[in-house]
Coordinates of all heavy atoms in Angstrom, one line a residue:
M8 N -77.9 6.8 10.4 CA -78.2 5.7 9.5 C -78.4 6.4 8.1 O -77.8 6.0 7.1 CB -79.4 4.9 9.9 CG -79.7 3.7 9.0 SD -78.4 2.5 8.9 CE -78.7 1.7 7.4
L9 N -79.3 7.3 8.0 CA -79.7 8.0 6.7 C -78.5 8.7 6.2 O -78.2 8.6 5.0 CB -80.8 8.9 7.0 CG -81.4 9.6 5.7 CD1 -82.1 8.5 4.8 CD2 -82.5 10.6 6.0
Y10 N -77.8 9.3 7.1 CA -76.6 10.1 6.7 C -75.5 9.1 6.1 O -75.0 9.5 5.0 CB -76.0 10.8 7.9 CG -74.7 11.5 7.6 CD1 -74.7 12.7 6.9 CD2 -73.5 11.0 8.0 CE1 -73.5 13.4 6.5 CE2 -72.3 11.7 7.7 CZ -72.3 12.9 7.0 OH -71.2 13.6 6.8
A11 N -75.3 8.0 6.7 CA -74.4 7.0 6.2 C -74.8 6.6 4.8 O -74.0 6.4 3.8 CB -74.2 5.9 7.1
L12 N -76.1 6.4 4.6 CA -76.7 5.9 3.3 C -76.4 7.0 2.2 O -76.0 6.7 1.2 CB -78.2 5.7 3.5 CG -78.9 5.0 2.3 CD1 -78.4 3.6 2.2 CD2 -80.4 5.0 2.5
L13 N -76.7 8.2 2.6 CA -76.4 9.3 1.6 C -75.0 9.4 1.3 O -74.6 9.6 0.1 CB -76.8 10.7 2.2 CG -78.3 11.0 2.2 CD1 -78.7 12.3 3.0 CD2 -78.8 11.1 0.7
V14 N -74.1 9.3 2.2 CA -72.6 9.3 1.9 C -72.3 8.2 1.0 O -71.5 8.4 0.1 CB -71.8 9.3 3.3 CG1 -70.4 9.0 3.0 CG2 -72.1 10.6 4.0
S15 N -72.8 7.0 1.3 CA -72.4 5.9 0.4 C -72.9 6.1 -1.0 O -72.2 5.7 -1.9 CB -72.8 4.5 1.0 OG -74.3 4.4 0.9
I16 N -74.1 6.6 -1.2 CA -74.7 6.8 -2.4 C -73.9 7.9 -3.2 O -73.5 7.6 -4.3 CB -76.2 7.3 -2.3 CG1 -77.0 6.1 -1.9 CG2 -76.6 7.9 -3.7 CD1 -78.4 6.6 -1.6
L17 N -73.5 8.9 -2.6 CA -72.7 10.0 -3.2 C -71.4 9.4 -3.6 O -70.8 9.8 -4.7 CB -72.6 11.2 -2.2 CG -73.9 12.0 -2.0 CD1 -73.6 13.1 -1.0 CD2 -74.3 12.7 -3.4
Y18 N -70.8 8.6 -2.7 CA -69.5 8.1 -2.9 C -69.5 7.2 -4.1 O -68.6 7.2 -5.0 CB -69.0 7.3 -1.7 CG -67.7 6.7 -1.8 CD1 -66.5 7.6 -1.7 CD2 -67.4 5.4 -1.8 CE1 -65.3 7.1 -1.8 CE2 -66.1 4.9 -1.9 CZ -65.0 5.7 -1.9 OH -63.8 5.2 -1.9
K19 N -70.6 6.3 -4.2 CA -70.7 5.4 -5.4 C -70.9 6.3 -6.7 O -70.3 5.9 -7.7 CB -71.9 4.5 -5.2 CG -71.6 3.3 -4.3 CD -72.8 2.5 -4.0 CE -72.5 1.4 -3.0 NZ -73.8 0.8 -2.6
Q20 N -71.7 7.3 -6.6 CA -71.9 8.1 -7.8 C -70.5 8.7 -8.2 O -70.3 8.8 -9.4 CB -72.8 9.3 -7.5 CG -74.3 8.8 -7.5 CD -75.3 9.9 -7.3 OE1 -74.9 11.0 -6.8 NE2 -76.5 9.7 -7.7
Q21 N -69.7 9.2 -7.3 CA -68.4 9.7 -7.6 C -67.6 8.7 -8.3 O -66.9 9.0 -9.3 CB -67.8 10.3 -6.4 CG -66.5 11.1 -6.6 CD -66.8 12.3 -7.5 OE1 -67.8 13.0 -7.3 NE2 -65.9 12.6 -8.4
I22 N -67.6 7.5 -7.8 CA -66.8 6.4 -8.4 C -67.3 6.1 -9.8 O -66.5 6.0 -10.7 CB -66.9 5.1 -7.6 CG1 -66.1 5.4 -6.2 CG2 -66.3 4.0 -8.3 CD1 -66.2 4.2 -5.3
N23 N -68.6 6.0 -10.0 CA -69.2 5.8 -11.3 C -68.8 6.9 -12.2 O -68.5 6.7 -13.4 CB -70.7 5.7 -11.2 CG -71.2 4.4 -10.6 OD1 -70.4 3.4 -10.5 ND2 -72.3 4.4 -10.2
R24 N -68.8 8.1 -11.8 CA -68.5 9.3 -12.6 C -67.0 9.2 -13.1 O -66.8 9.4 -14.3 CB -68.7 10.6 -11.9 CG -68.9 11.8 -12.8 CD -69.4 13.0 -12.0 NE -70.7 12.8 -11.5 CZ -71.0 13.0 -10.2 NH1 -70.1 13.4 -9.3 NH2 -72.3 12.9 -9.8
T25 N -66.2 8.8 -12.3 CA -64.7 8.6 -12.7 C -64.6 7.5 -13.7 O -63.9 7.6 -14.7 CB -63.8 8.5 -11.5 OG1 -64.3 7.4 -10.8 CG2 -63.7 9.7 -10.7
F26 N -65.3 6.4 -13.5 CA -65.3 5.3 -14.4 C -65.8 5.7 -15.8 O -65.3 5.5 -16.8 CB -66.1 4.1 -13.9 CG -65.3 3.2 -13.0 CD1 -65.7 2.9 -11.8 CD2 -64.1 2.6 -13.5 CE1 -65.0 2.1 -11.0 CE2 -63.3 1.9 -12.7 CZ -63.8 1.5 -11.4
I27 N -66.9 6.5 -15.8 CA -67.6 6.9 -17.0 C -66.7 7.9 -17.8 O -66.5 7.8 -19.0 CB -68.9 7.6 -16.7 CG1 -69.9 6.6 -16.2 CG2 -69.5 8.4 -17.9 CD1 -71.2 7.1 -15.6
E28 N -66.0 8.8 -17.0 CA -65.1 9.7 -17.7 C -63.9 8.9 -18.4 O -63.5 9.2 -19.4 CB -64.5 10.7 -16.7 CG -65.5 11.8 -16.2 CD -66.1 12.6 -17.3 OE1 -65.3 13.0 -18.2 OE2 -67.3 12.8 -17.4
H29 N -63.5 7.9 -17.6 CA -62.3 7.1 -18.1 C -62.8 6.3 -19.4 O -62.1 6.3 -20.4 CB -61.9 6.1 -17.0 CG -60.7 5.5 -17.3 ND1 -59.5 6.1 -17.3 CD2 -60.4 4.1 -17.6 CE1 -58.5 5.2 -17.6 NE2 -59.0 4.0 -17.8
D30 N -64.0 5.8 -19.4 CA -64.6 5.1 -20.5 C -64.8 6.0 -21.7 O -64.5 5.7 -22.8 CB -65.9 4.5 -20.2 CG -65.7 3.3 -19.4 OD1 -64.7 2.8 -19.2 OD2 -66.7 2.8 -18.8
K31 N -65.2 7.3 -21.4 CA -65.4 8.2 -22.5 C -64.1 8.5 -23.2 O -64.0 8.6 -24.5 CB -65.9 9.6 -21.9 CG -67.4 9.7 -21.8 CD -67.8 11.0 -21.3 CE -69.2 11.1 -20.8 NZ -69.5 12.4 -20.2
K32 N -63.1 8.6 -22.5 CA -61.7 9.0 -23.1 C -61.3 7.8 -24.0 O -60.9 8.0 -25.1 CB -60.7 9.2 -22.0 CG -60.8 10.5 -21.3 CD -59.9 10.7 -20.2 CE -60.1 11.9 -19.4 NZ -59.4 12.0 -18.2
N33 N -61.5 6.6 -23.5 CA -61.1 5.3 -24.2 C -62.0 5.2 -25.5 O -61.5 5.0 -26.6 CB -61.3 4.1 -23.4 CG -60.2 4.0 -22.3 OD1 -59.2 4.7 -22.4 ND2 -60.5 3.2 -21.4
I34 N -63.3 5.5 -25.3 CA -64.2 5.4 -26.5 C -63.8 6.5 -27.5 O -63.8 6.1 -28.7 CB -65.6 5.5 -26.0 CG1 -66.1 4.3 -25.3 CG2 -66.6 5.8 -27.2 CD1 -67.4 4.5 -24.5
N35 N -63.5 7.6 -27.1 CA -63.1 8.7 -28.0 C -61.8 8.3 -28.8 O -61.8 8.6 -30.0 CB -62.9 10.0 -27.3 CG -64.2 10.7 -26.8 OD1 -65.2 10.3 -27.4 ND2 -64.2 11.6 -25.9
K36 N -60.9 7.7 -28.1 CA -59.7 7.3 -28.8 C -60.0 6.2 -29.9 O -59.5 6.3 -30.9 CB -58.7 6.6 -27.8 CG -58.0 7.7 -26.9 CD -57.0 6.9 -26.0 CE -56.4 7.9 -25.0 NZ -55.6 7.2 -24.0
K37 N -60.9 5.2 -29.5 CA -61.3 4.2 -30.5 C -62.0 4.9 -31.7 O -61.7 4.5 -32.8 CB -62.2 3.2 -29.8 CG -61.5 2.3 -28.8 CD -62.4 1.4 -28.2 CE -61.7 0.5 -27.1 NZ -62.7 -0.3 -26.3
I38 N -62.8 5.8 -31.4 CA -63.6 6.5 -32.5 C -62.6 7.2 -33.4 O -62.7 7.1 -34.6 CB -64.7 7.4 -32.0 CG1 -65.8 6.6 -31.3 CG2 -65.2 8.3 -33.1 CD1 -66.8 7.4 -30.6
K39 N -61.7 7.9 -32.8 CA -60.7 8.7 -33.6 C -59.9 7.7 -34.5 O -59.6 8.1 -35.6 CB -59.8 9.5 -32.6 CG -60.5 10.8 -32.2 CD -59.6 11.5 -31.2 CE -60.4 12.7 -30.6 NZ -59.7 13.2 -29.5
K40 N -59.5 6.6 -33.9 CA -58.7 5.6 -34.7 C -59.5 5.1 -35.8 O -59.0 5.1 -37.0 CB -58.3 4.4 -33.8 CG -57.1 4.7 -32.9 CD -56.7 3.4 -32.2 CE -55.5 3.6 -31.3 NZ -55.2 2.5 -30.5
K41 N -60.8 4.8 -35.6 CA -61.6 4.3 -36.7 C -61.8 5.4 -37.8 O -61.6 5.1 -39.0 CB -63.0 3.9 -36.1 CG -63.1 2.6 -35.5 CD -64.5 2.2 -35.1 CE -64.5 0.9 -34.4 NZ -65.9 0.5 -33.9
V42 N -62.0 6.6 -37.4 CA -62.2 7.7 -38.3 C -60.9 7.9 -39.1 O -61.0 8.0 -40.4 CB -62.6 9.0 -37.6 CG1 -62.5 10.2 -38.5 CG2 -64.0 8.9 -37.1
S43 N -59.8 7.9 -38.5 CA -58.5 8.1 -39.2 C -58.2 6.9 -40.1 O -57.7 7.1 -41.2 CB -57.4 8.3 -38.2 OG -57.1 7.2 -37.5
N44 N -58.6 5.7 -39.7 CA -58.4 4.5 -40.6 C -59.2 4.6 -41.8 O -58.9 4.2 -42.9 CB -58.7 3.2 -39.8 CG -57.6 2.9 -38.8 OD1 -56.5 3.5 -38.8 ND2 -57.9 2.0 -37.9
Q45 N -60.5 5.1 -41.7 CA -61.5 5.2 -42.7 C -60.9 6.2 -43.8 O -61.2 6.1 -45.0 CB -62.8 5.5 -42.3 CG -63.5 4.4 -41.6 CD -64.8 4.7 -41.0 OE1 -65.2 5.9 -40.9 NE2 -65.6 3.7 -40.5
Q46 N -60.3 7.3 -43.3 CA -59.9 8.4 -44.2 C -58.8 7.8 -45.2 O -58.7 8.2 -46.3 CB -59.3 9.5 -43.4 CG -60.4 10.4 -42.8 CD -59.8 11.3 -41.8 OE1 -58.6 11.4 -41.6 NE2 -60.7 12.2 -41.4
Y47 N -58.0 6.8 -44.8 CA -57.0 6.3 -45.7 C -57.4 5.2 -46.6 O -56.7 4.9 -47.5 CB -55.8 5.8 -44.8 CG -55.1 6.8 -43.9 CD1 -55.1 6.7 -42.6 CD2 -54.5 7.9 -44.5 CE1 -54.5 7.7 -41.8 CE2 -54.0 8.9 -43.8 CZ -53.9 8.8 -42.4 OH -53.3 9.8 -41.7
E48 N -58.6 4.7 -46.4 CA -59.1 3.6 -47.3 C -59.5 4.2 -48.7 O -59.9 5.3 -48.8 CB -60.3 2.9 -46.6 CG -59.8 2.1 -45.5 CD -61.0 1.3 -44.8 OE1 -62.2 1.6 -45.2 OE2 -60.8 0.6 -43.8

């Protein structure tokens, strides 16, 4: 029971990590776009 709980927690953390990494990439793209837009103004 405890082992299954640990596995599910680790699995969820791994999923969260991949989502966070994905979000970071998207956020970085948005920031770069904003910065490049500001330079031309």
Side-chain angles (χ1 to χ4, degrees):
M8 182 65 200
L9 187 64
Y10 176 74
L12 190 67
L13 279 174
V14 168
S15 75
I16 289 169
L17 288 173
Y18 185 70
K19 283 177 185 168
Q20 281 183 340
Q21 189 61 41
I22 291 173
N23 287 344
R24 202 169 292 131
T25 52
F26 274 124
I27 290 167
E28 288 301 317
H29 194 68
D30 285 348
K31 275 186 192 168
K32 287 176 187 169
N33 288 343
I34 290 168
N35 285 342
K36 282 181 189 173
K37 286 177 187 171
I38 290 172
K39 282 177 186 169
K40 277 185 182 175
K41 281 184 182 175
V42 168
S43 63
N44 286 345
Q45 285 173 353
Q46 286 173 350
Y47 295 121
E48 284 176 4

